[in-house]
Amino acid sequence: MRKVESLNKKWKFVVKPATLETLSKAKAINVNVPHTWNNLDGQDGGGDYYRGTCWYYKKLGKLALEKDEVAYLEFEGVHSIADVYLNGKLLAHHEGGFSTFRVRIDEQLNDENLLVVSVDNSANDRIYPQWADFTFFGGIYRNVNLIITNKVHFDLDYCGGPGVMVTPTVEGNNAKVEVQCFANEVEGLTVTAELLDAEKKVVKVLKEQSLNFNFGIENVNLWDGIENPYLYTLRLSLIKDNVVVDNKDVRFGVRTFSVDLGKGFFLNGEAVDGAIKGV
């Protein structure tokens, strides 16, 4: 079964010039992530806004992995270019400050381990967005997790996603839900699922499905913005040889939306009164 541990605490942070070889001698401060080095200079108007490379590092102890387990690091957001090193070896280069990415690490683990992440928010000509009316905050600004799971699992390498895609469609007072599961293996796998309501009560049980399946929700509760931000949870178990090898919860809302040039934006068939604000 999947185990997830937060790695947000007890990082060392080195601001401005350093290299992987000189990092241990550079002046470092203690930080927890989420963290940014532009929390002050990015908004104080002092002309000292720093866009460049900084470094984060921390020690990881020995991981007690079973023979059929693998380990991943999950970075929910690093702005905007990240290089991830473990014990001096570059394991990943990621570009894009607003997307989750993961790095498999079990093959590089020792009894004692040094995790290093270089982060660069310099201006460039290839990473979106090129211009915006907000500060490009550099740093590991979302959570970092350690994921330990079976070697057969919901795919942790598939586009930074959860390995599950849930697509609901409203049909009158009901909904049809299409589920696509992505696994790092395909043969001999099935899934079981439970549908939970917003109070985490089980409302439907689905046994022994293929990796792609559909189901219905009667008298569906619609997600209705701030008026009723209702979310269901699909609790999935991945099964191989009659044994649960991985598990994943996916939250989703059911709604319709449309835009009319003359009448505005419609959510669940009702016109939205006033401005629509994205945050």
Side-chain angles (χ1 to χ4, degrees):
M1 298 290 283
R2 181 175 298 200
K3 294 168 281 191
V4 180
E5 176 186 345
S6 172
L7 295 182
N8 285 353
K9 303 294 185 182
K10 296 183 179 179
W11 289 80
K12 296 287 188 180
F13 174 69
V14 176
V15 65
K16 300 188 180 180
T19 65
L20 191 65
E21 292 73 24
T22 63
L23 199 58
S24 62
K25 299 179 181 179
K27 181 180 179 181
I29 62 173
N30 298 319
V31 301
N32 296 323
V33 301
H35 174 267
T36 177
W37 61 79
N38 298 123
N39 58 317
L40 297 178
D41 66 24
Q43 58 188 346
D44 63 7
D48 56 348
Y49 172 37
Y50 177 67
R51 296 185 68 178
T53 299
C54 294
W55 297 79
Y56 296 83
Y57 65 93
K58 70 176 299 176
K59 292 181 179 180
L60 300 177
K62 183 178 181 179
L63 300 185
L65 299 178
E66 302 293 337
K67 65 178 182 179
D68 60 348
E69 288 183 328
V70 295
Y72 280 80
L73 296 174
E74 178 181 65
F75 295 87
E76 295 183 6
V78 181
H79 202 283
S80 58
I81 301 173
D83 287 307
V84 180
Y85 303 84
L86 186 65
N87 299 324
K89 182 175 181 178
L90 176 64
L91 296 188
H93 174 80
H94 180 79
E95 297 186 355
F98 302 100
S99 56
T100 295
F101 68 97
R102 303 184 184 96
V103 186
R104 185 171 167 179
I105 63 171
D106 49 278
E107 295 177 346
Q108 300 298 325
L109 289 169
N110 299 323
D111 289 347
E112 295 291 334
N113 303 279
L114 181 64
L115 171 62
V116 177
V117 184
S118 72
V119 182
D120 183 4
N121 71 333
S122 299
N124 61 74
D125 61 1
R126 66 189 186 279
I127 300 174
Y128 180 86
Q130 288 292 297
W131 181 91
D133 60 350
F134 54 79
T135 300
F136 291 85
F137 289 96
I140 302 178
Y141 74 99
R142 291 180 181 156
N143 297 323
V144 180
N145 300 307
L146 171 67
I147 300 174
I148 297 175
T149 191
N150 191 279
K151 62 183 179 181
V152 180
H153 51 266
F154 290 113
D155 199 342
L156 290 163
D157 296 308
Y158 184 74
C159 299
V164 180
M165 185 162 60
V166 179
T167 307
T169 304
V170 177
E171 297 182 343
N173 294 325
N174 306 322
K176 178 182 177 180
V177 182
E178 178 184 356
V179 181
Q180 295 175 271
C181 298
F182 306 92
N184 66 322
E185 292 186 12
V186 177
E187 296 298 325
L189 299 180
T190 59
V191 296
T192 62
E194 292 180 334
L195 178 67
L196 312 181
D197 63 17
E199 297 178 348
K200 297 301 176 68
K201 295 178 181 178
V202 177
V203 296
K204 185 181 287 285
V205 177
L206 302 158
K207 297 181 179 179
E208 291 299 319
Q209 307 292 318
S210 64
L211 294 183
N212 300 325
F213 62 95
N214 301 315
F215 67 92
I217 304 176
E218 297 181 352
N219 299 315
V220 65
N221 281 289
L222 297 179
W223 183 92
D224 197 28
I226 61 175
E227 299 298 326
N228 182 31
Y230 194 97
L231 293 178
Y232 290 92
T233 299
L234 191 63
R235 178 161 292 166
L236 294 148
S237 296
L238 186 65
I239 298 172
K240 181 177 182 179
D241 298 329
N242 297 316
V243 176
V244 176
V245 293
D246 197 13
N247 55 285
K248 183 66 183 177
D249 284 3
V250 179
R251 296 198 303 167
F252 67 96
V254 182
R255 80 285 182 273
T256 66
F257 64 91
S258 61
V259 179
D260 184 286
L261 183 61
K263 298 180 180 179
F265 182 82
F266 287 76
L267 178 62
N268 299 325
E270 299 290 334
V272 175
D273 185 23
I276 298 174
K277 299 178 180 179
V279 179

